Amino acid sequence: MQYRTLGKTGLDVSILGFGASPMGNVFDPVDEKEAIAAVHLALDHGVNFVDVSPFYGLTLAESRLGKALEGKRKEIILASKCGRYDLQDFDFSRKKILQSIDESLTRLKTDYLDLFQLHDIEFVDKRIILEEAVPAIQEVVQSGKARFWGITGLPVRYLAQIARETNPDTVLSWAHYNLLEDEIKDELVPLSQEMGFGLMNAAPLMQRILSEASLPPWHRSPAEVKAMQPILLDLCKSYGLSLSQVALRFAMDHPLIATTIVGMCEVHVVQQNLEAVDLEIPEELLEKILTLVEPVKNRMWFEGKEENNI
């Protein structure tokens, strides 16, 4: 396993991050024993960063992860979130954030988080984030219940704007650095170097497009982007490689992104992801992929309040 420093936190995190959202049955129903075994396998092979949220499975992912981490808490850097609790349930008030940290700690069976994050900040008024949520989450850090705090969301330019105004310890951007998207490089990467916050990338498989799995019915990518999946699958197969491993290795290769978080909850998937850490992508294959995807590059959808999609 390789490790990079998570910005000014000083924490050394594995370049492969364990995304625990599938443990909440977000994609498919998951056997709890299988999910716990998957966590243990990842930790045994050097994955030390684990990211979750009460939103995933309506607290189910946190509860299952808490069971998996019993006796192993000191081995990992544990991150969770607050502010988003269901598809349309957002509450970034001070009262809820102070309540949310205690509830997450109970489910995760720990007395502190290494990282506590404001989840999907684009869904509420900017004023709420600046005037209430950020002071509240800083209060949580001051209390000792979290060591560091950060922000997460989809619109990369909005994340950059809020980072400039609040100086977080970390920023988690999802779906903006992978074989189909690279907008994280426009502002967030240079800003992370300028300000010193730790930069994290999630959804390197573009919610399954860059994998062998069938796409969920709720996937919001345009049809022409989804249509790339079988083409890329066949191309990678012709080189004796899996698309998901190539896509994951590509994302992990960015030297200024501390960790790439990918959802996993099955033992065989963890094994595949661990193998990707040591994969060397043939230069010819990567050139062919980048040429194929160029016509559909950066066709990202928007989420949250319209004024925050800058």
Side-chain angles (χ1 to χ4, degrees):
M1 184 58 63
Q2 302 165 45
Y3 301 87
R4 296 189 185 119
T5 302
L6 186 61
K8 58 192 171 187
T9 71
L11 300 172
D12 289 327
V13 295
S14 50
I15 61 169
L16 174 62
F18 191 106
S21 66
M23 295 180 75
N25 299 340
V26 171
F27 289 95
D28 300 298
V30 177
D31 177 77
E32 185 173 283
K33 290 182 179 179
E34 174 81 4
I36 290 173
V39 173
H40 292 171
L41 179 63
L43 300 189
D44 289 344
H45 286 80
V47 174
N48 75 344
F49 183 78
V50 183
D51 178 76
V52 71
S53 167
F55 170 47
Y56 304 145
L58 308 181
T59 73
L60 179 60
E62 279 193 330
S63 296
R64 284 176 165 171
L65 183 59
K67 294 177 184 178
L69 295 179
E70 285 191 89
K72 297 178 178 292
R73 174 66 182 93
K74 293 182 180 179
E75 301 174 24
I76 66 157
I77 296 166
L78 181 58
S80 193
K81 308 180 184 79
C82 62
R84 185 171 197 177
Y85 303 98
D86 204 342
L87 284 175
Q88 300 301 326
D89 181 8
F90 300 91
D91 189 344
F92 289 89
S93 66
R94 175 182 179 274
K95 178 180 178 181
K96 182 62 176 178
I97 289 173
L98 298 185
Q99 174 188 336
S100 190
I101 182 65
D102 289 336
E103 293 171 346
S104 287
L105 293 178
T106 297
R107 288 189 289 266
L108 292 166
K109 301 180 184 296
T110 184
D111 55 3
Y112 74 98
L113 293 178
D114 295 287
L115 177 61
F116 197 35
Q117 304 161 96
L118 299 175
H119 195 177
D120 292 344
I121 59 172
E122 68 268 25
F123 281 88
V124 298
D125 290 341
K126 179 182 177 183
R127 177 185 54 80
I128 293 173
I129 297 297
L130 296 181
E131 296 180 7
E132 187 154 8
V134 169
I137 204 167
Q138 290 173 333
E139 188 177 336
V140 171
V141 172
Q142 291 164 2
S143 75
K145 294 178 181 179
R147 297 172 65 191
F148 302 101
W149 72 276
I151 57 175
T152 83
L154 185 65
V156 281
R157 291 166 185 81
Y158 185 62
L159 286 174
Q161 182 183 94
I162 297 299
R164 287 188 183 95
E165 297 186 38
T166 63
N167 194 25
D169 297 312
T170 64
V171 174
L172 192 164
S173 163
W174 69 274
H176 276 92
Y177 188 69
N178 51 68
L179 289 171
L180 293 166
E181 296 276 341
D182 63 4
E183 290 179 299
I184 199 172
K185 298 192 297 184
D186 294 347
E187 282 188 76
L188 272 184
V189 168
L191 188 64
S192 70
Q193 296 301 290
E194 176 188 329
M195 297 187 65
F197 58 76
L199 183 58
M200 301 175 286
N201 172 42
L205 307 184
M206 275 298 286
Q207 297 180 319
R208 292 188 170 180
I209 293 179
L210 298 171
S211 81
E212 295 70 35
S214 57
L215 303 187
W218 42 261
H219 207 298
R220 296 185 62 189
S221 280
E224 61 269 25
V225 178
K226 295 178 185 178
M228 293 304 303
Q229 186 187 43
I231 298 170
L232 296 177
L233 280 171
D234 288 345
L235 177 59
C236 289
K237 188 176 181 181
S238 72
Y239 281 79
L241 298 171
S242 77
L243 172 58
S244 59
Q245 289 179 318
V246 171
L248 182 54
R249 179 67 256 185
F250 173 82
M252 291 188 295
D253 274 338
H254 197 300
L256 300 180
I257 294 174
T259 187
T260 296
I261 303 163
V262 62
M264 42 185 154
C265 64
E266 296 171 295
V267 169
H268 77 277
V269 174
V270 173
Q271 290 171 333
Q272 290 174 358
N273 292 341
L274 289 168
E275 290 171 4
V277 174
D278 297 318
L279 178 68
E280 289 189 22
I281 306 173
E283 187 174 334
E284 181 185 56
L285 171 59
L286 184 56
E287 289 177 358
K288 288 181 178 179
I289 291 174
L290 296 178
T291 299
L292 279 170
V293 303
E294 186 60 35
V296 297
K297 197 80 174 285
N298 293 326
R299 299 280 183 89
M300 177 51 67
W301 65 91
F302 289 115
E303 292 188 4
K305 296 182 75 66
E306 186 175 354
E307 61 267 28
N308 296 336
N309 285 288
I310 56 177

